[in-house]
């Protein structure tokens, strides 16, 4: 089996390279084969300077006509040169921290450069282009070349070579899908698809390969979902709960009334918890729609009925925020909570004290992270489990938490807007509540969609907001240099911002590859206003509540799904101050700008997700995935909606004819599930 073979068995992968692969979670040959390209590069023929269009990656051949000059801006060295083509047209080349090129680029010499073209006023600029000889470029021309997610020190070429060798270990007969499915739906074999994903001959082959792997992902996901249906079937309500004076009094005292949508959902929660069957409900609502107050009401009703409730958040910072918010409510309104906080970073003594309060029933509300499900935690009467941003938790974590009680009520919350047609497939028979309106007191966010030439103005605006005591987020799609030549990355961008913003502005970065303790520290410092500008990947979309943040700027906005951009936008506009969202697109093509303009016309996440669904066809596979919340490697529920529906029908047909998956036809599928028991396939019904 290839999955048992360590990656350093591959020729050319020594200890050092294996350690680099480990940084991107590639430890075995199987991991490497599953490390699919994040996109593909086509090396088109060089064009003349007058033909190049801003926002596109292109190749230009010409002569260096101005002596490269190097200037220093703080700790950044900037080298500028001028390239002139046969027509006499010129383009500026700009290189960051590459002063040695001054000796390489000779005035009068001919060179071929390839990179992202940008327009600055009347001038065309190419920043950080790659340099080729004419012969080197011709070898690449006309091919689809895979580009992988990398880390510093690991090159694309190294990964390509290693993958090609890894595929030799991969059994040609490897197939997971039952023959009954394969006979009905014509598609590539698993082995063909894997090979073509890494090294496609052409775009058609690539699309066929991707469709096969995405179908497989959806199929296994939905099969797990349907197989666990019994767990979500109507189970007896062991903890019947009824409204008491506590929730009524709390609602009367709140400084704001519930919206119509909130009142409707609160009615559904009360009904569920008092019915003969245990609650199993999901609340969907935009960021800021008021899901948390409904969770607090449900937990208060649980406490008032003499039981324990638990609330699990995806990050420590968010858990602490929930704890502080609820502690504030206790102080202000005298509600019947006896809360305890439980997180991984607490001292052993603090944890022991928390365990004792939970086990004795002294604590009737437990707020924390996955620390809530540690073996040492024993509950006295766990009757309600609330998970905030449920997609951030793996299946096993949720199963473990449910096992801590005797079939407790389950409430999950999500800010991910999913069109109804897809929600039915993804959530099965889980009851879904939707909060489809925002509180009346929220100021609408002001949006603008602009090209890269707007950047200097955006930086000025951020500096102005910081000077007024506010904070800002800047989102980049990549983590570090080397991952992509045409996309902004947080590490370099942070340096760039430090160079252009006033020295008094504190800039820091945040990304998913950081150690949890470092991520927590950064988020805490940002929440405490010690950081003014936070440069981050999309890891921030489930983050902290920072009412003081008023600017959200997104680089390479064209590469994100609209639903994800809307999620990110929800990080600002949470306080009393006017908030702004700046979407910067490197492509100023008419279709791109029109698509992004949808965000200007609507603040309704569900409408935006539906519009995105219409706009992003199955051929659009080169954007940054927006539905990572469902733990798919390649699949995107928006782009691949038709494949999701097809996989759903195939699963239903299979389970109709073979509900126990006991036939010979499903043998390989059963083996696959046995091998991948810990795979992060999400099951929304087994918290």
């Amino acid at each position: 089996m290839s999955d048992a073979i360590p990656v350093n068995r591959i020729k050319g992968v020594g200890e050092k390279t294996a350690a680099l692969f480990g940084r991107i979670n590639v430890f075995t040959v199987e991991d490497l084969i599953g490390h699919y390209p994040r996109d593909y590069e086509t090396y088109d023929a060089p064009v003349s300077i007058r033909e190049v269009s801003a926002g596109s990656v292109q190749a230009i051949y010409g002569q260096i006509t101005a002596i490269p000059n190097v200037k220093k801006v703080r700790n950044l060295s900037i080298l500028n040169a001028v390239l002139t083509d046969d027509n006499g047209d010129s383009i500026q080349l700009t290189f960051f921290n590459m002063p040695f090129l001054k000796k390489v680029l000779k005035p009068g010499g001919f060179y071929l450069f390839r990179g992202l073209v940008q327009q600055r006023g009347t001038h065309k600029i190419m920043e950080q282009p790659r340099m080729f000889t004419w012969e080197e470029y011709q070898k690449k021309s006309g091919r689809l070349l895979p580009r992988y997610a990398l880390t510093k020190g690991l090159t694309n070429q190294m990964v390509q070579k290693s993958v090609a060798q890894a595929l030799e270990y991969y059994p040609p007969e490897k197939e997971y899908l039952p023959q009954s499915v394969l006979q009905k739906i014509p598609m590539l074999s698993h082995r063909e698809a894997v090979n073509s994903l890494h090294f496609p001959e052409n775009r058609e082959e690539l699309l066929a390969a991707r469709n096969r792997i995405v179908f497989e992902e959806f199929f296994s996901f939905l099969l797990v979902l349907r197989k666990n249906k019994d767990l979500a079937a109507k189970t007896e309500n062991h903890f019947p709960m009824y409204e008491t004076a506590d929730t009524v009094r709390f609602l009367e005292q709140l400084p704001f009334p519930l919206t119509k949508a909130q009142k409707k959902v609160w009615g559904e929660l009360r009904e569920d918890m008092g019915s003969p069957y245990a609650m199993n409900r999901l609340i969907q609502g935009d960021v800021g729609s008021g899901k948390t107050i409904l969770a607090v009401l449900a937990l208060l009703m649980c406490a008032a009925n003499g039981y324990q409730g638990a609330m699990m958040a995806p990050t420590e910072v968010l858990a602490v925020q929930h704890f502080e918010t609820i502690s504030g409510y206790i102080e202000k309104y005298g509600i019947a909570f006896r809360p305890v906080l439980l997180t991984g970073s607490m001292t052993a003594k603090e944890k022991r004290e928390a365990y004792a309060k939970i086990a004795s029933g002294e604590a009737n509300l437990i707020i924390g992270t996955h620390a809530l499900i540690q073996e040492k935690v024993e509950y006295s009467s766990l009757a309600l489990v609330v998970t905030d941003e449920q997609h951030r938790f793996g299946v096993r974590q949720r199963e473990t938490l449910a096992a801590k009680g005797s079939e407790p009520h389950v409430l999950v919350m999500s800010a991910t807007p999913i069109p109804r047609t897809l929600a039915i497939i993804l959530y099965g028979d889980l009851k879904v509540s939707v909060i489809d309106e925002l509180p009346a007191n929220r100021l609408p966010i002001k949006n603008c969609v602009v090209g890269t030439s707007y950047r200097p103005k955006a930086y000025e605006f951020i500096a102005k907001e910081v000077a007024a005591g506010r904070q800002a987020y800047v989102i980049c799609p990549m983590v570090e240099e080397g991952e992509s030549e045409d996309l902004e990355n947080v590490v370099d961008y942070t340096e760039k911002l430090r160079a252009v913003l006033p020295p008094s502005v504190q800039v820091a970065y945040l990304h998913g590859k950081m150690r949890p303790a470092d991520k927590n520290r950064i988020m805490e410092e940002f929440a405490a206003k010690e950081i003014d500008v936070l440069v981050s990947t999309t890891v921030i979309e489930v983050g902290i509540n920072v009412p003081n943040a008023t600017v959200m700027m997104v680089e390479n906005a064209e590469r994100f799904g609209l639903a994800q951009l809307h999620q990110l936008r929800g990080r600002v506009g949470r306080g009393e101050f006017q908030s702004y969202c700046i979407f910067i697109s490197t492509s100023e093509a008419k279709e791109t700008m029109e698509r992004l303009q949808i965000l200007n016309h609507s603040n309704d996440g569900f409408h935006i997700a539906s519009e995105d669904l219409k706009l992003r066809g199955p051929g659009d596979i080169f954007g940054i995935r927006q539905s990572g919340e469902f733990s798919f490697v390649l699949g995107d529920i928006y782009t691949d909606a038709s494949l999701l529906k097809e996989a759903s029908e195939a699963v239903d047909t299979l389970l109709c004819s073979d509900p126990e998956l006991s036939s010979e036809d499903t043998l390989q599928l059963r083996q696959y599930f046995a091998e991948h028991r810990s795979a992060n396939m999400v099951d929304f019904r087994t918290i």
Side-chain angles (χ1 to χ4, degrees), residues 228-250:
N228 282 329
K229 200 170 179 178
D230 296 343
L231 293 166
K234 289 183 172 175
T235 52
E236 191 186 336
N237 183 356
H238 300 296
F239 306 101
M241 298 177 199
Y242 307 100
E243 191 163 27
T244 67
D246 299 73
T247 54
V248 177
R249 196 169 56 246
F250 178 52

Side-chain angles (χ1 to χ4, degrees), residues 216-230:
E216 196 172 280
E217 279 195 284
F218 288 161
F219 183 89
S220 55
F221 169 89
L222 293 168
L223 190 61
V224 170
L225 212 59
R226 304 279 200 277
K227 282 295 287 173
N228 282 329
K229 200 170 179 178
D230 296 343

Side-chain angles (χ1 to χ4, degrees), residues 309-324 339-359 363 365-379 393 401 404:
M311 187 178 196
M312 190 156 74
T315 65
E316 283 206 8
V317 179
L318 201 54
V320 170
Q321 275 198 343
H322 283 320
F323 182 78
E324 285 171 353
V340 70
L341 180 69
L342 189 57
T343 65
S345 66
M346 286 164 56
T347 64
K349 184 172 178 275
E350 288 169 333
K351 282 179 187 169
R352 277 198 304 276
E353 286 170 3
Y355 298 152
K357 285 178 181 175
I358 298 166
L365 173 60
I366 301 91
I367 300 169
T369 55
H370 56 272
L372 297 184
I373 58 176
Q374 306 268 304
E375 231 175 274
K376 290 175 181 172
V377 189
E378 285 180 20
Y379 295 83
F393 299 102
L401 185 53
K404 295 282 185 185

